[in-house]
Amino acid sequence: MTTTWKKILGRDEKFFDLLEASANEAHVSSERLKDFLLRSQSVLSVDNLHELTFSRRKDKEITKEITRELCKTFVTPLEREDIEALSNSLYKIPKTVQKIAERILICPRDILKDESLSHQVNFLEQASALVVKMVKLLRSGSSLDDVVEMNSRLQQIEGEADKLVTRMLRELYQGQREAKAVIILKDVFELLERAIDRCRDAGNTVFQIVLKSS
């Protein structure tokens, strides 16, 4: 089948390429946040934000490109509103991750020596990796069972992350930390929770897309 006929019949791969690229940037940003947190134990500068900022900007351009393609493409392989919804969900992940890194950058180094932060970042990395796999399923047209299984795992990660946040907040509120440390850590914890929620939202969007076509 020629490229022209693929486009006419809505078989053009560009939307899958763009959505997968966006999902990959979301995962890359979580990996870079993990490295950023490790480096925060020593010395950080504004330059250390460059990679995370680049990832967010790159994803923003991908999101804009998806919008441009939606405006000029007559037939799309997925419903337009689904493509737009998934694109927006994916973009919010690196955007939130950058906010987390910005908070970490201005935090006193001693406050960041909390193992719970590392655990939460690991949850984010796992969740974003699952999102990449789920988005790739859209191209291959995998069965609903595959998507359900991955989405269930994503929900499980989000639930475990929520429990960890609750435990961390309880320790903050009931512990002996000074008020400044409580405020700073609470802010970072809640942003991490939000980033993981963004991954969950993206996974739910993929699930709904596949459910409609099953």
Side-chain angles (χ1 to χ4, degrees):
M1 184 179 289
T2 65
T3 301
T4 300
W5 277 109
K6 283 184 179 180
K7 290 182 178 180
I8 291 175
L9 297 177
R11 298 281 297 279
D12 193 349
E13 301 290 301
K14 62 176 175 286
F15 287 107
F16 295 125
D17 292 339
L18 290 168
L19 289 171
E20 288 173 12
S22 182
N24 186 63
E25 285 305 318
H27 181 53
V28 167
S29 69
S30 69
E31 291 181 320
R32 288 174 175 167
L33 179 65
K34 186 175 183 178
D35 180 59
F36 191 83
L37 183 61
L38 287 174
R39 282 186 286 173
S40 72
Q41 306 304 322
S42 54
V43 178
L44 281 176
S45 68
V46 175
D47 292 338
N48 297 128
L49 269 176
H50 176 72
E51 290 184 348
L52 278 163
T53 302
F54 176 77
S55 185
R56 196 268 301 171
R57 288 177 178 171
K58 185 177 179 181
D59 197 43
K60 186 175 183 179
E61 288 305 311
I62 294 171
T63 303
K64 288 181 179 179
E65 180 63 20
I66 290 174
T67 300
R68 286 192 291 267
E69 290 295 336
L70 283 173
C71 291
K72 67 181 185 181
T73 304
F74 180 66
V75 179
T76 57
L78 304 171
E79 293 185 16
R80 292 173 182 275
E81 59 269 26
D82 289 336
I83 295 174
E84 185 175 15
L86 181 55
S87 175
N88 289 335
S89 293
L90 292 171
Y91 172 65
K92 289 177 181 178
I93 300 171
K95 184 177 180 180
T96 307
V97 168
Q98 183 180 333
K99 289 182 179 179
I100 297 168
E102 289 170 348
R103 297 295 198 281
I104 291 174
L105 181 63
I106 61 177
C107 285
R109 301 282 77 82
D110 61 315
I111 292 179
L112 295 172
K113 295 178 180 179
D114 191 311
E115 290 187 4
S116 296
L117 285 176
S118 297
H119 293 324
Q120 200 74 340
V121 171
N122 285 336
F123 279 136
L124 174 59
E125 188 179 19
Q126 293 172 37
S128 62
L130 270 172
V131 169
V132 172
K133 292 179 180 179
M134 292 182 71
V135 171
K136 286 182 178 180
L137 291 178
L138 293 174
R139 185 197 296 265
S140 62
S142 297
S143 68
L144 180 60
D145 289 341
D146 294 332
V147 177
V148 169
E149 181 180 353
M150 287 190 183
N151 197 45
S152 295
R153 175 56 185 151
L154 189 55
Q155 302 297 324
Q156 181 182 352
I157 291 173
E158 191 266 341
E160 291 172 357
D162 279 349
K163 291 178 182 177
L164 179 58
V165 168
T166 300
R167 180 173 64 79
M168 291 188 297
L169 291 176
R170 182 173 61 248
E171 291 174 357
L172 284 179
Y173 295 157
Q174 298 178 0
Q176 301 300 317
R177 287 182 181 268
E178 61 179 47
K180 179 176 71 173
V182 172
I183 293 171
I184 292 172
L185 286 172
K186 180 176 182 293
D187 186 31
V188 176
F189 289 162
E190 290 179 344
L191 280 171
L192 278 165
E193 182 182 25
R194 187 183 306 169
I196 296 170
D197 287 347
R198 302 298 193 197
C199 293
R200 176 206 59 198
D201 294 343
N204 284 338
T205 302
V206 173
F207 171 72
Q208 291 299 325
I209 292 172
V210 174
L211 184 63
K212 285 196 292 185
S213 61
S214 62

